[in-house]
Amino acid sequence: MNTIIQAEIPQQLCQQAQLLIQQGWATNLQEVINEALRRYVESHEDSLSEAFIQDDVAWGLHGDD
Amino acid sequence: MATTKNLVVADAGVLIHLDELGALDVLSDYAAVFVPDAVWSEVLRHRPQALQNKSIHLVYVSAVAYSPKVNAMAKIFTLHHGECEALSLCLDREIETLLTDDTAARLAANNLNLKAHGTLGLLIRAVRQQLRSADDIVQLLAAIPQQTSLHIRPQLLNNVIEQVKEEWRDKQ
């Protein structure tokens, strides 16, 4: 199931994406946005953010620098 | 003389969040906090007063060339321009610590064998470095949701506050 969203993106970014599509790196703008969003979500996973914060707290409390 | 041990590179988020808390002084024991051009511009746009703080030694660095390693990381972790410049600056000047609150930037830093610390760690460290009292820091941690643009799950923040209170109670 898909959800329709409306979002403003910078013109230059959109032009860069269109260029990639013209060059054949992606089928259309929707595919580019899906891929960008997927990568963002994967690299900002909740468990990962939490692990970093726990590391940071341990460093804050017990680090040596 | 400053060694690279007490030099750090900052990403925009940490400078903005600490300034929102009125706590940039927790960086005052670093000999220099390097700020690459793209990060400087971002802070200037969102929180210009952070760049005027007299308690810390901010050093603006222009024209940071992307390291090839960072270029590769940028694609994998969808890093922003400022994060790429900050990571490149760490590698270029052999500075081992990046200050960032961004998860992807932290992940990239780890992959580049750099240390990465964020707002929470820096606040807590300030007690260890005797820059702030434990009570001060507990209050600042509790103020994060209302006073800053740093997003953190409320339950996680509460757990952190309880953990540090417990730790510091034992030492009093």
Side-chain angles (χ1 to χ4, degrees):
Chain A
M1 196 175 112
N2 292 333
T3 302
I4 296 171
I5 58 165
Q6 190 172 6
E8 275 188 26
I9 57 172
Q11 198 176 21
Q12 193 187 1
L13 191 61
C14 188
Q15 285 168 349
Q16 286 171 324
Q18 295 288 8
L19 186 63
L20 289 174
I21 295 160
Q22 281 169 23
Q23 290 169 338
W25 294 107
T27 310
N28 52 38
L29 196 55
Q30 182 177 312
E31 186 181 299
V32 174
I33 291 169
N34 276 347
E35 178 67 6
L37 199 56
R38 187 185 62 75
R39 286 188 184 213
Y40 183 88
V41 168
E42 280 176 1
S43 61
H44 287 75
E45 221 176 87
D46 184 55
S47 58
L48 196 57
S49 302
E50 186 163 333
F52 279 132
I53 286 173
Q54 295 293 359
D55 285 351
D56 223 16
V57 171
W59 169 76
L61 288 169
H62 307 294
D64 60 1
D65 57 339
Chain B
M1 184 182 154
T3 67
T4 56
K5 272 230 166 271
N6 57 4
L7 302 176
V8 290
V9 174
D11 189 12
V14 163
L15 296 176
I16 292 169
H17 302 144
L18 287 175
D19 192 60
E20 287 170 336
L21 288 170
L24 271 172
D25 58 284
V26 302
L27 304 179
S28 62
D29 64 321
Y30 287 116
V33 178
F34 288 92
V35 184
D37 179 69
V39 172
W40 190 276
S41 301
E42 199 178 332
V43 180
L44 198 60
R45 194 162 58 247
H46 298 289
R47 191 82 184 171
Q49 59 269 48
L51 301 172
Q52 306 299 323
N53 194 291
K54 300 292 179 205
S55 67
I56 55 173
H57 184 205
L58 292 179
V59 179
Y60 166 80
V61 182
S62 63
V64 178
Y66 279 23
S67 130
K69 284 182 185 173
V70 172
N71 227 357
M73 292 286 166
K75 292 179 175 68
I76 298 167
F77 297 114
T78 57
L79 301 175
H80 297 164
H81 192 35
E83 292 155 2
C84 289
E85 281 201 357
L87 287 162
S88 297
L89 188 57
C90 284
L91 296 180
D92 184 55
R93 304 223 177 169
E94 297 182 353
I95 295 171
E96 64 181 18
T97 304
L98 171 69
L99 307 182
T100 181
D101 281 322
D102 184 84
T103 302
R106 286 185 185 206
L107 204 53
N110 284 357
N111 276 275
L112 293 165
N113 292 320
L114 298 170
K115 296 175 186 173
H117 300 298
T119 297
L120 269 68
L122 289 162
L123 287 170
I124 296 165
R125 169 186 176 274
V127 176
R128 174 161 57 79
Q129 297 294 89
Q130 299 181 324
L131 297 168
R132 289 278 194 142
S133 70
D135 286 345
D136 261 2
I137 295 303
V138 168
Q139 280 181 22
L140 289 172
L141 289 171
I144 285 175
Q146 293 80 34
Q147 231 171 290
T148 77
S149 49
L150 175 63
H151 299 290
I152 175 166
R153 193 159 50 77
Q155 187 57 53
L156 176 59
L157 182 60
N158 289 340
N159 291 347
V160 168
I161 292 171
E162 287 311 311
Q163 185 186 344
V164 296
K165 278 163 92 173
E166 183 76 14
E167 185 91 21
W168 290 331
R169 189 180 303 130
D170 290 346
K171 288 183 179 165
Q172 279 173 349

